[in-house]
């Protein structure tokens, strides 16, 4: 039995290592292109190990412009505030939905779910946020539209509450005279750390990765987050590729090099790779505390 | 009970929704009125067109009796916020005196320009003037997003009105109304092949001896032998062969096959023509010989970059006066051109730099006056195009201007897209360009052959369904055929058949109908 | 009636909790949703959206012209593949992660498999290009010669692309899905496993009888949600990753890329809105059907 278990562990590790390689190799190419000169990239192509090393792109990022530092600060603040706001909205909506005894809960579930399927398109949303709430070119534009509540996460949390928090526990609390708010804060939340950690993680990633709000609502560079910055660069290239033979030569002069694009991409991913293992700790901790079952 | 509550909920939702929607609608419909009311609250005497008319007779556009406003100018090309603000401030000093308004310039990177402008123009937010760039003149005009300026021009844009030819104005017109301000720039294009001079010289080739594609082919073969690592022909992004030697009448779906020599206004199918077949066949043959970069139609690099890094020898392109110098600056090598088609002036050559007045402008008259000023005032035009002296550019010894010491396009913080502005020709020439560039450009424009359909703007709104389907087929084959990736012998017939199934003939018929109508009124 | 009222009163705090969320949904989703009328109008901004003339279904016509069959087939085909493949792979990986004993390596593996999710799709398209570019790509330059194979021009060979696209999709998304399933997995009471172990169940039996049933609600929810999106496609994956290469269009053109190509120039908001409505309605019908089915089989897990 123990022997068998050991073999299983070894096989398990091997499979996971292969998967990790599958995920890492493209990332390595990304990194190696960010430290390769433009000429080498175009002439000799991409490779996992850089053929010559040229830190020009990173030098430029660190000294040539203050965009990156500013972008980092904005991204971190936006991610922090946005995730917090989203978490509050999500939990407050998901908990009542998880209550099987709540009258009309299906109506509310439907109202929520319906938003995942139908939308009026970007123009009405833009009119709403930009003309009535005046959030264009403010930091709010990166936080509020579309990202602050996502039906997907609400449903996920609801499902978790529903299947992991026994009715008996809630009933017991009610008999003890606890109000709904107290039940939510003192009983449900402590039992839901894994899902909360997951939502923080996933919503945080959404905020971290988002560039669409920046594309729609922002045209002043002092509000660019890292991803908006990166996306601007990439979009210019995409544009030149899709518009055959306009005056592309005249426009192409301002295109950043491949190395720079890759360096910004690395800059966008790296912090998450560093922070994630720390988040993991809570993720795992939440598990042991969360497993109170009836 | 359950049902009742649901119904109640839905009605409330609908009611709130309708209110929201009502606001939304007023927002987009009456936004100009709304913004006008705003100005009116401060000065009740504003917006009296009659009064200003009488003033205008005395002096050219005097707006001192109108409300002081801020005009919002949008332009593609990136700029740091601070730099754009600095330029706005400098521009406002001039416009305050002449137009009684401030100017707020917003630069939008060209990759996001289309998205952001569409949103701005659809949302009813204040936009005063902007260049079309990739936006379509006819769809903006049809959707009521831009304002006709026919009646405003004589009064507030007189100087421009007189210095631009009628056939040029027609290029900015939809349904008989002028919707766009015509820029002063290269209004024609010739077609050619630009290549590295050092290699040409080394191989002992005289570019003047290249007469046709066979001669070019021989040169390319020589290059291939001498430099096996180099691709003799590289694409510019996905485009391996440059523009077609026809008048595309806007979109390639129905063209004038010989605008150079014939006055015929028959709209024909380019894809069944011998010209198209020949181009594809040459590409295909060349690609088989390894003369064209493989898979050119999915290339992600600019042609200039490929030449700069030594991967490419030359590329096809449309050209203009000073094209060599402009490209040399980007490639960093000496270049030489072989031109195979003389300059042709046609409608779509102008369309990317047309400037429009948004329907949501605070003051249409002043918007036109501002455009007119940008067209006629060298100081203002230079500010917009090149930025502020000493910050974004400085005078060089030879009288041209260039980036200040230690700055370049990437670090100056204000993108220079001279050709996109109303009038680059009243600003100092850029470093490296010929000192007499503007005179040469005028001569080039004048010498250019005029396409018989110049001034015709195709309005595809009635055949949009066909256009959308045809575009998808076009994307499937066109660039790949030009890059020599597909065998024209077998592919062109399939291509043509699919195009016809998608409705190409309907588009051609509609284009012909509009063209005939246009010719009749001309 | 009275007792009903008092019963409802008990739930007031619960309804209050939902107010902020409902307000957000109203502003962010429901009011803008009225923009759906745009799909049935020929919009003239001078008149305003409401006053613009109705044009019936004519904005929808372009969706059924030309390559309609191909784009529908591609959109549905890829999505159905994704709906099956993603959970299978993600659950397998989540279980493998969960079975590992070393906490250190759990952490490490999880971080690494999430990396692709963090890379923007446009950067992904460059990475794919780095592998597949005809003359300087990693495959043609390094890998194929190892096996003595000829260089291929990937971007003009449609036969490989269904496989490449699925691979890229999985590469990018499986880490994310894995985390979702893993979160549910770790929430399973260890008591169940212990009980199973006492009963003498082996690892496989424990997975089948404890793990999978515990994952069932999550699987059902996620599947229902993806059914609702079945007519949508990831624009970046189908447009940018194949570099919008013409010869590949037969296997890469989906509804979203078709609409993008179709409307890039004219930017007709009536037509783009019509495309959205079409995609939503089909998804809506399918998901309603699936939900009814779910209710019959396992009412607990139905979405609404």
């Amino acid at each position: 039995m123990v022997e068998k278990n050991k073999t299983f562990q070894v096989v398990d590790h091997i499979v996971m290592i292969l998967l990790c390689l599958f995920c890492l190799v493209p990332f390595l190419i990304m990194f190696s292109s960010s430290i390769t000169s433009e000429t080498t990239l175009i002439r000799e192509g991409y490779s996992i190990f850089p053929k010559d090393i040229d830190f020009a792109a990173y030098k430029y990022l660190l000294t040539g412009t203050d965009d990156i530092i500013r972008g980092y600060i904005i991204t971190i603040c936006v991610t922090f505030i946005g995730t917090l706001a989203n978490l509050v909205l999500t939990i407050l909506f998901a908990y009542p939905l998880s209550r099987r005894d709540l009258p009309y809960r299906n109506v509310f579930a439907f109202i929520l779910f319906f938003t995942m399927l139908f939308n009026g398109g970007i123009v009405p949303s833009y009119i709403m946020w930009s003309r009535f709430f005046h959030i264009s070119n403010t930091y709010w534009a990166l936080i509020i539209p579309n990202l602050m509540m996502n039906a997907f996460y609400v449903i996920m949390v609801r499902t978790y509450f529903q299947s992991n928090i026994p009715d008996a526990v809630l009933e017991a609390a009610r008999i003890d005279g606890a109000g709904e708010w107290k039940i939510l804060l003192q009983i449900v939340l402590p039992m839901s750390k894994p899902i909360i950690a997951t939502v923080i993680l996933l919503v945080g990633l959404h905020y971290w990765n988002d560039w669409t709000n920046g594309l729609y609502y922002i045209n002043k560079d002092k509000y660019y987050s890292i991803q908006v910055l990166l996306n601007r660069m990439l979009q210019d290239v995409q544009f030149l590729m899709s518009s055959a033979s306009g005056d592309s030569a005249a426009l192409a002069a301002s295109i950043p090099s491949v190395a720079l694009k890759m360096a910004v991409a690395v800059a966008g991913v790296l912090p998450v790779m560093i922070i994630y293992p720390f988040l993991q700790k809570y993720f795992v901790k939440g598990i042991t505390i969360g497993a109170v079952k009836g | 009970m359950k049902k009742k509550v649901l119904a109640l909920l839905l009605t409330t939702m609908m009611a709130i929704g309708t209110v929201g929607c009502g606001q939304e609608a007023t927002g987009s419909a009456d936004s100009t009125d709304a913004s006008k009311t705003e100005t009116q609250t401060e000065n009740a005497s504003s917006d009296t067109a009659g009064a200003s008319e009488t003033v205008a007779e005395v002096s050219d556009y005097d707006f001192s009796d109108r409300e002081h406003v801020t005009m919002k100018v949008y332009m593609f090309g990136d700029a740091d916020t601070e730099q754009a603000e600095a330029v706005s401030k400098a521009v406002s000093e001039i416009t305050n005196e002449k137009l009684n308004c401030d100017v707020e310039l917003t630069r939008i990177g060209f990759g996001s320009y289309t998205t952001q402008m569409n949103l701005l123009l659809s949302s009813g937010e204040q936009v005063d003037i902007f260049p079309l760039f990739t936006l379509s003149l006819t769809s903006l005009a049809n959707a009521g997003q831009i304002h006709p300026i026919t009646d405003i021009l004589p009064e507030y844009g007189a100087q421009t009105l007189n210095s631009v030819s009628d056939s040029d104005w027609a290029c900015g017109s939809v349904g008989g109304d002028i919707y766009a301000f015509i820029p002063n720039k290269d209004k024609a294009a010739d077609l050619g092949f630009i290549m590295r001079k050092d290699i040409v010289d080394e191989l002992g080739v005289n570019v003047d001896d290249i007469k046709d594609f066979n001669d070019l082919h021989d040169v390319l073969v020589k290059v291939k032998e001498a430099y096996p690592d180099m691709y003799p022909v590289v694409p510019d992004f996905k485009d391996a062969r440059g523009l077609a030697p026809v008048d595309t009448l806007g979109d390639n779906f129905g063209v004038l096959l010989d605008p150079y020599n014939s006055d015929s206004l028959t709209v024909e199918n380019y894809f069944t023509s011998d010209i198209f077949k020949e181009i594809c066949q040459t590409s295909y043959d060349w690609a088989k010989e390894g003369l064209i970069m493989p898979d050119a139609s999915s290339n992600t690099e600019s042609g200039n970059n490929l030449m700069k890094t030594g991967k490419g020898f030359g590329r096809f392109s449309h050209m203009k006066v000073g094209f060599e110098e402009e490209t040399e600056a980007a490639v960093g090598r000496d270049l030489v051109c072989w031109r195979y088609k003389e300059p042709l002036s046609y409608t779509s050559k102008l369309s990317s730099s047309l400037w429009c007045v948004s329907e949501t402008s605070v003051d249409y008259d002043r918007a036109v006056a501002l455009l007119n000023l940008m067209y006629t005032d060298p100081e203002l035009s230079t500010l917009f195009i090149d930025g502020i002296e000493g910050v974004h550019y400085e005078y060089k010894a030879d009288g041209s201007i260039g980036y200040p010491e230690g700055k370049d396009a990437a670090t100056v913080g204000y993108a220079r897209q001279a050709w996109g502005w109303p009038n680059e020709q009243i600003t100092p020439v850029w470093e490296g360009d010929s000192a007499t560039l503007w005179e040469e450009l005028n001569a080039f424009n004048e010498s250019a052959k005029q396409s018989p359909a110049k001034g015709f703007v195709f309005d595809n709104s009635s055949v949009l369904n066909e256009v959308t389907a045809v575009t998808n087929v076009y994307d499937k084959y066109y660039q790949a055929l030009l890059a020599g990736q597909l065998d024209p012998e077998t592919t062109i017939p399939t291509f043509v058949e699919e195009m016809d199934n998608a409705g190409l003939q309907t588009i051609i018929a509609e284009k012909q109908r509009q063209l005939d109508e246009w010719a009749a009124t001309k | 009636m009275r007792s009903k009222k008092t019963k409802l009163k008990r739930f007031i705090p619960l309804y209050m909790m939902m107010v902020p969320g409902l307000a957000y949904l109203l502003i962010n989703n429901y009011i803008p949703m009225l923009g759906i009328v745009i799909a049935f109008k020929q919009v003239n901004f001078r008149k305003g959206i409401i006053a613009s003339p109705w044009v019936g279904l004519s904005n929808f016509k372009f969706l059924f012209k030309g390559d309609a069959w191909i784009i529908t087939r591609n959109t549905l085909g890829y999505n159905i593949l994704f709906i099956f493949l993603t959970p299978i792979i993600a659950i397998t990986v989540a279980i493998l992660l969960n079975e590992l004993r070393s906490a250190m390596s759990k952490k490490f593996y999880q971080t690494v498999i999430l990396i692709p999710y963090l890379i923007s799709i446009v950067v992904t398209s460059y990475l794919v290009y780095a592998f597949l570019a005809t003359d300087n790509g990693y495959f043609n330059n390094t890998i194929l010669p190892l096996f003595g194979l000829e260089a291929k021009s990937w971007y003009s060979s449609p036969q490989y692309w269904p496989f490449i696209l699925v691979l890229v999709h999985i590469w990018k998304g499986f880490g994310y899905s894995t985390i979702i399933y893993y979160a549910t997995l770790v929430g399973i009471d260890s008591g169940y496993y212990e009980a199973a172990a006492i009963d003498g169940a082996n690892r496989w039996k424990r997975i089948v009888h404890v793990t999978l049933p515990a994952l069932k609600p999550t699987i059902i929810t996620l599947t229902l949600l993806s059914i609702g999106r079945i007519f949508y496609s990831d624009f970046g994956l189908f447009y940018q990753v194949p570099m919008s290469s013409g010869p590949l269009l037969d296997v890469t053109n989906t509804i979203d890329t078709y609409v993008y190509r179709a409307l890039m120039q004219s930017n007709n908001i009536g037509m783009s809105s019509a495309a959205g409505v079409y995609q939503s309605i089909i998804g809506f019908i399918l998901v309603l059907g699936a939900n009814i089915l779910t209710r019959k089989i396992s009412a607990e897990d139905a979405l609404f």
Side-chain angles (χ1 to χ4, degrees):
Chain A
M1 184 73 186
V2 176
E3 196 53 39
K4 211 173 161 191
N5 210 347
K6 220 171 201 171
T7 340
F8 178 83
Q9 289 290 327
V10 171
V11 174
D12 198 341
H13 276 287
I14 291 173
V15 174
M16 290 311 296
I17 287 168
L18 285 178
L19 273 175
C20 288
L21 278 181
F22 173 61
C23 293
L24 266 184
V25 166
F27 179 78
L28 289 177
I29 288 196
M30 183 164 111
F31 182 71
S32 97
S33 354
S34 72
I35 53 170
T36 308
S37 73
E38 186 83 355
T39 316
T40 319
L41 271 186
I42 293 181
R43 287 187 62 90
E44 316 202 1
Y46 299 83
S47 61
I48 292 179
F49 306 103
K51 291 188 175 124
D52 63 347
I53 291 182
D54 176 4
F55 284 104
Y58 288 95
K59 225 174 265 165
Y60 175 76
L61 281 190
L62 290 175
T63 57
T65 159
D66 52 355
D67 289 358
I68 286 287
I69 311 286
R70 191 173 51 200
Y72 265 138
I73 297 173
I74 293 175
T75 302
I76 291 169
C77 294
V78 161
T79 305
F80 183 76
I81 297 170
T83 310
L84 198 69
N86 185 308
L87 191 68
V88 171
L89 284 181
T90 302
I91 291 176
L92 287 184
F93 207 91
Y95 173 62
L97 277 191
S98 74
R99 289 283 298 270
R100 294 176 183 84
D101 51 346
L102 183 78
Y104 313 114
R105 89 174 173 134
N106 272 349
V107 176
F108 290 103
F110 186 79
I111 289 176
L112 177 77
F113 176 65
F114 197 71
T115 62
M116 287 189 79
L117 291 176
F118 286 91
N119 66 73
I122 174 63
V123 170
S125 298
Y126 182 85
I127 293 174
M128 190 76 202
W129 288 120
S130 163
R131 279 184 61 85
F132 295 111
F133 290 90
H134 304 288
I135 62 161
S136 286
N137 288 320
T138 66
Y139 296 113
W140 298 115
L142 298 170
I143 298 175
I144 299 176
N146 270 323
L147 297 169
M148 226 162 73
M149 183 167 159
N150 183 331
F152 179 73
Y153 297 128
V154 179
I155 292 172
M156 226 173 81
V157 174
R158 181 206 70 160
T159 311
Y160 185 92
F161 285 163
Q162 223 162 297
S163 47
N164 292 44
I165 300 186
D167 288 344
V169 173
L170 300 179
E171 198 53 44
R174 210 168 297 123
I175 290 164
D176 287 351
E180 293 295 350
W181 286 91
K182 202 174 170 193
I183 295 178
L184 173 65
L185 295 175
Q186 296 187 352
I187 297 171
V188 177
L189 290 190
M191 285 175 76
S192 310
K193 286 197 177 158
I195 196 71
I196 292 172
T198 313
V199 169
I200 289 179
L201 181 75
L202 300 181
V203 171
L205 288 181
H206 262 211
Y207 272 105
W208 187 275
N209 273 346
D210 183 69
W211 49 266
T212 45
N213 279 350
L215 169 65
Y216 296 148
Y217 299 101
I218 287 179
N219 53 38
K220 294 204 184 332
D221 63 355
K222 63 175 169 192
Y223 300 108
Y224 287 176
S225 65
I226 285 278
Q227 298 295 340
V228 175
L229 205 65
L230 172 65
N231 190 59
R232 295 264 149 172
M233 296 180 180
L234 299 173
Q235 258 189 322
D236 287 354
V237 184
Q238 292 298 316
F239 168 78
L240 292 173
M241 284 178 61
S242 62
S243 76
S245 62
D247 289 83
S248 56
L251 293 167
S254 52
I255 292 272
S257 67
V258 177
L260 187 56
K261 284 178 280 200
M262 292 301 180
V264 179
V266 171
V269 175
L270 219 51
V272 182
M273 289 172 66
I274 297 166
I275 295 167
Y276 186 79
F278 291 99
L279 256 179
Q280 271 271 300
K281 204 166 77 188
Y282 296 99
F283 201 74
V284 178
K285 227 184 209 165
I287 298 154
T288 40
I289 308 169
V292 187
K293 272 263 171 128
Chain B
M1 182 64 196
K2 221 176 185 178
K3 264 190 187 152
K4 254 189 197 161
V5 174
L6 179 65
L8 187 73
L9 208 91
L10 281 174
T11 11
T12 332
M13 221 156 67
M14 295 280 277
I16 298 168
T18 329
V19 174
C21 195
Q23 281 174 341
E24 212 169 90
T26 13
S28 15
D30 304 333
S31 54
T32 50
D33 289 349
S35 29
K36 270 180 194 145
T37 350
E38 256 168 49
T39 47
Q40 267 165 356
T41 48
E42 281 166 46
N43 181 351
S45 71
S46 75
D47 204 24
T48 43
S52 59
E53 241 165 62
T54 41
V55 178
E57 275 166 28
V58 186
S59 73
D60 252 353
Y61 39 74
D62 177 5
F63 291 100
S64 56
D65 61 330
R66 292 200 195 179
E67 180 62 35
H68 182 269
V69 291
T70 300
M71 306 289 278
K72 298 199 172 171
V73 178
Y74 285 82
M75 171 65 187
F76 58 86
D78 262 318
D80 295 345
T81 313
E82 297 84 52
Q83 306 306 331
E85 276 165 5
V87 171
S88 302
K89 211 174 139 223
V91 165
S92 294
E93 273 171 31
I94 301 178
T95 53
N96 255 316
E97 188 189 312
K98 297 194 172 166
L99 303 174
N100 189 25
C101 70
D102 281 323
V103 165
E104 189 187 312
L105 170 66
T106 305
R107 300 290 301 262
I108 302 177
F110 54 88
S112 357
Y113 185 79
T114 317
T115 314
Q116 291 212 341
M117 279 323 286
N118 272 323
L119 286 174
L120 279 167
L121 294 172
S122 310
S123 71
E125 264 177 68
Q126 184 198 339
V127 173
D128 290 285
I129 55 173
F130 65 97
L132 269 186
F133 197 45
T134 52
L135 304 169
S136 143
L137 181 71
T138 49
S139 38
L140 288 181
N142 287 334
Q145 286 165 298
I146 48 178
H147 194 76
I149 55 174
T150 324
D151 298 334
I152 307 172
L153 269 176
E155 197 169 339
Y156 298 100
Q159 288 135 302
T160 319
L161 184 65
N162 298 331
S163 62
V164 171
S165 73
D166 283 351
S167 73
D168 283 358
W169 281 117
C171 298
S173 304
V174 178
D177 264 321
I178 299 176
Y179 274 95
F181 207 85
I182 309 298
N184 204 13
K185 57 159 217 160
D186 48 313
K187 297 175 178 175
D190 44 0
L191 303 178
F193 185 78
I194 187 161
M195 54 202 137
R196 279 174 55 174
K197 192 164 185 303
D198 53 340
I199 298 183
V200 170
D201 291 344
E202 182 196 317
L203 298 176
V205 174
N206 185 353
V207 174
D208 293 334
D209 290 343
I210 305 178
K211 297 281 178 249
D212 55 20
F213 281 89
N214 284 331
D215 296 342
L216 182 64
H217 174 252
D218 297 340
V219 176
L220 298 178
V221 171
K222 269 191 207 167
V223 173
K224 179 88 192 161
E225 276 163 14
Y227 294 91
D229 282 349
M230 188 183 280
Y231 295 114
V233 180
V234 287
D236 188 29
F237 295 99
K238 315 184 75 158
D239 176 28
R241 290 297 298 265
L243 294 183
V246 294
D247 184 343
T248 59
L249 300 176
D251 58 8
N252 250 339
F253 308 143
V255 303
L256 295 188
L257 281 182
D258 190 11
Y260 294 91
N261 305 312
S262 132
D263 281 336
S264 153
L265 284 177
T266 317
V267 180
E268 284 174 276
N269 185 351
Y270 176 48
F271 311 109
T272 52
S273 73
D274 291 339
I275 307 175
F276 180 63
K277 198 169 172 208
E278 226 176 273
I279 293 176
C280 297
Q281 192 63 48
T282 351
S283 284
Y284 185 63
D285 295 343
W286 290 7
K288 270 203 295 200
E289 291 174 66
L291 300 180
I292 299 184
M293 184 167 138
D295 272 357
S297 76
S298 55
N299 167 50
T300 60
E301 278 297 332
S302 75
N304 286 346
N305 236 351
L306 290 169
M307 284 160 76
K308 184 181 180 175
T309 52
K311 189 150 185 183
F313 163 69
R315 65 182 176 94
F316 286 97
S317 177
H318 63 285
M319 306 181 167
K320 60 178 179 184
V321 162
F323 180 73
E324 287 93 331
E325 288 82 0
E326 203 180 286
T327 317
E328 273 168 9
V331 173
R333 300 174 192 268
D334 281 345
L335 302 170
V336 59
C337 286
W338 169 60
R339 291 173 155 85
Y340 63 91
K341 276 286 183 191
E342 70 260 41
L344 178 74
S345 183
Y346 51 96
T347 305
S348 36
K349 183 66 199 135
L350 285 172
S351 54
S352 61
S353 322
L354 293 178
W355 279 71
C356 295
V357 175
S358 160
E359 190 63 34
T360 58
S361 168
V362 279
D363 185 343
Y364 304 128
D365 298 344
R366 230 177 307 190
V368 171
L370 175 60
L371 281 169
N372 188 54
L373 206 59
M374 286 157 85
Y375 192 88
T376 51
D377 186 323
E379 196 189 343
L380 186 73
S381 193
T382 311
L383 268 176
F384 271 127
I385 296 176
D386 301 304
I388 298 165
E389 187 181 350
V391 182
H392 305 121
Y393 70 90
E394 63 185 20
Y395 277 93
K396 304 288 171 186
D398 60 352
S400 68
I401 58 173
Y403 292 119
E405 239 2 87
K407 298 262 186 187
D408 60 26
T411 54
V412 78
Y414 188 79
R416 193 176 168 277
Q417 304 292 358
W419 54 273
W421 293 91
N423 196 350
E424 56 171 342
Q425 297 196 39
I426 51 173
T427 67
V429 290
W430 195 251
E431 201 179 8
D433 286 341
S434 143
T436 53
L437 180 65
W438 304 138
E439 290 80 26
E440 289 166 34
L441 194 53
N442 281 335
F444 173 81
N445 284 339
E446 272 159 38
S447 76
K449 182 91 187 64
Q450 307 278 315
S451 163
K454 182 171 172 191
F456 166 66
V457 180
F458 178 48
D459 178 356
N460 64 11
S461 54
S462 60
V463 286
L464 260 187
N465 290 325
E466 285 76 16
V467 171
T468 55
V470 166
T471 308
N472 270 275
V473 180
Y474 177 82
D475 279 2
K476 183 152 59 174
Y477 296 104
Y478 188 71
Q479 297 294 354
L481 273 168
L482 288 192
Q485 286 163 247
L486 302 170
D487 182 359
E489 230 19 88
T490 54
T491 314
I492 290 182
T494 337
F495 177 36
V496 168
E497 197 196 323
E498 281 186 41
M499 289 289 253
D500 284 346
N501 288 341
L504 179 61
Q505 295 307 327
T506 320
I507 302 173
I508 294 180
E510 172 62 17
K511 208 182 244 184
Q512 184 73 64
R513 192 189 64 75
Q514 286 184 22
L515 187 61
D516 291 342
E517 214 168 69
W518 170 82
T521 59
K522 204 177 152 193
Chain C
M1 197 64 202
R2 200 192 190 133
S3 68
K4 192 137 202 184
K5 238 183 200 163
T6 40
K7 196 179 158 221
L8 267 179
K9 208 172 162 191
R10 213 186 92 205
F11 292 107
I12 286 177
L14 287 177
Y15 289 125
M16 290 301 287
M17 286 177 192
M18 291 203 276
V19 168
L22 284 172
Y24 182 77
L25 289 181
L26 184 72
I27 296 169
N28 187 67
N29 300 79
Y30 279 94
I31 296 177
M33 224 180 261
L34 294 157
I36 287 175
V37 296
I38 293 171
F40 306 95
K41 294 224 172 205
Q42 190 194 341
V43 175
N44 187 319
F45 290 96
R46 210 169 289 145
K47 292 182 192 147
I49 293 173
I50 295 300
S52 295
W54 294 95
V55 290
L57 294 177
S58 76
N59 282 332
F60 289 81
K61 276 189 191 146
F62 80 108
L63 292 165
F64 304 98
K65 280 197 82 68
D67 286 340
W69 153 242
I70 291 178
I71 58 171
T72 316
R73 178 200 69 189
N74 288 345
T75 315
L76 276 177
Y78 285 114
N79 274 330
I80 290 172
L81 260 180
F82 296 160
I83 287 175
F84 281 103
L85 282 179
T86 312
I88 292 174
I89 293 172
I91 291 169
T92 314
V93 179
I95 291 174
L96 285 176
L97 263 180
N98 198 33
E99 295 286 327
L100 281 177
R101 273 206 235 93
S102 139
M104 233 344 236
S105 35
K106 267 187 193 181
K107 216 186 265 187
F108 174 79
Y109 295 145
Q110 264 193 80
T111 311
V112 172
I113 60 173
L114 201 65
I115 291 173
Y117 179 73
L118 298 171
I119 297 175
S120 105
I121 190 75
V122 185
V123 174
T124 306
S125 74
Y126 283 105
L127 297 179
V128 174
Y129 187 75
F131 275 96
L132 300 180
T134 309
D135 72 321
N136 60 359
Y138 197 64
F139 254 74
N140 281 355
N141 262 357
T142 313
I143 297 188
L144 291 183
L146 277 182
F147 299 98
L149 292 170
E150 283 278 296
K152 289 201 164 63
S153 55
W154 298 96
Y155 286 92
S156 24
S157 318
Q159 67 271 30
Y160 305 115
W161 280 84
F163 180 72
I164 295 171
L165 289 175
V166 170
L167 198 71
V168 172
H169 177 84
I170 303 258
W171 175 77
K172 227 179 127 38
F174 88 92
Y176 179 83
S177 310
T178 301
I179 302 280
I180 292 179
Y181 286 109
Y182 183 67
T184 321
L185 266 188
V186 296
I188 299 175
D189 187 354
S190 51
Y192 289 131
Y193 286 115
E194 280 154 25
I198 291 164
D199 289 349
N202 60 15
R203 190 185 307 275
W204 177 246
K205 278 211 174 117
R206 266 182 291 155
I207 288 172
V208 173
H209 295 295
V210 181
T211 313
L212 287 183
L215 285 179
K216 196 182 75 178
T218 313
I219 299 174
I220 291 178
T221 312
L222 292 184
T223 309
L224 281 177
L225 294 180
S226 16
I227 289 175
R229 310 280 305 171
I230 204 161
F231 255 45
Y232 286 93
S233 57
D234 179 352
F235 176 78
L237 178 67
F238 293 97
Y239 188 87
Q240 276 147 355
V241 172
M243 292 291 164
S244 182
S245 173
L248 305 179
L249 275 194
D250 275 340
V251 294
T252 58
N253 214 5
T254 60
I255 296 177
D256 294 276
T257 60
Y258 176 85
V259 170
Y260 179 79
R261 284 196 181 85
L263 302 182
M264 193 157 54
Q265 292 249 295
S266 61
N267 188 62
N268 184 314
I269 78 163
M271 283 156 86
S272 55
S273 167
V277 170
Y278 170 62
Q279 291 172 309
S280 303
I281 286 182
I282 304 272
F284 185 55
I285 293 170
L286 288 176
V287 93
L288 276 186
N291 196 54
I292 289 171
L293 213 70
T294 316
R295 270 194 198 187
K296 284 207 172 123
I297 301 165
S298 153
E300 263 287 271
D301 302 316
L303 269 180
F304 42 83

